[in-house]
Amino acid sequence: MANQTKERGAKTLRALIFDVDGTLADTERDLHRVAFNQAFAATGITVFWDVDLYGQLLAVTGGKERLAHYFTKLRPDLKPAGNLEAAIRHLHAEKTAAFARLLTGTEVALRPGVRRLLKEARAAGLQLAIATTTTRENLAPILRALGDDGAQWFAVIAAGDVVARKKPAPDVYQYVLATLAVEPAEVIAFEDSENGLRAARAAGLPTVVTVTDYTRDQDFTGALVVVNHLGEPDQPLTPLGPADIGMPFINLAVLQALHRARG
Ligand code: XBP
Ligand code: MG
């Protein structure tokens, strides 16, 4: 039979779903964090998020949610005067504008192996999608880094407030699965963080984790594979568990083998 895996009841790999921040590009420390600080300065709020503090704040996904957590739970003494929700909306709009400014005229560096794997999967006819907590506008410079038609590489781009509950809730992944009309067993997700992995796993998705400096010590129980990055032929990945893929880089053949082995 053309497809022996079908005899065992296994599904064909049809789609890859990618997180953005930390996964497609390493954006948190030097872009999002800096943009938050520029927004504080622009609105006259005497707050500065240093590298360590921002690492702790990443436990809360979503920029508006992160600001609300900071001003209600961590530093109520620094809370802006007046209506907090309105202040956060304003601050976050400033932050989104600052993020765009930081990337004006420069190209975002995609993480190793990202462009290669996306190109290969696209050429092989797999569907590509994005499931991210970040604001939709923030994706423009990252998609541009793939090429002028970067946005068209993805059949679904689910971002920001498209769902009410952000990661680690599975909602954004469930939204993408429903829009693509695929089953979890036909998909592999790509994440960089524990919150992201929890979201993907809760949606039933096998997940490849590429860690960042902020996430490498997090709990990745249940991941299909954990690596430092996707690797390139001249920039081999480092396996961090649980499977050693026996290759210097993750390509479609590796993903298909991992997918088949999962049965
Ligand atoms: C990314 C985030 C985002 C960014 C900021 O999480 O948590 O909130 O830090 O983006 P993930 P906004 O990679 O798991 O999607 O300020 O636009 O919300
Ligand atoms: Mg991420």
Side-chain angles (χ1 to χ4, degrees), residues 40 45 47 49 66-80 84 88 91:
F40 295 136
I45 295 174
V47 166
W49 287 354
R66 192 167 298 143
L67 288 164
H69 171 80
Y70 182 75
F71 287 121
T72 56
K73 301 279 188 332
L74 289 189
R75 295 301 301 265
D77 54 311
L78 298 176
K79 192 158 60 179
L84 182 60
I88 285 176
L91 254 175

Side-chain angles (χ1 to χ4, degrees), residues 37-56:
N37 285 329
Q38 290 187 355
F40 295 136
T43 50
I45 295 174
T46 44
V47 166
F48 181 81
W49 287 354
D50 66 27
V51 170
D52 285 348
L53 172 60
Y54 191 69
Q56 294 162 38

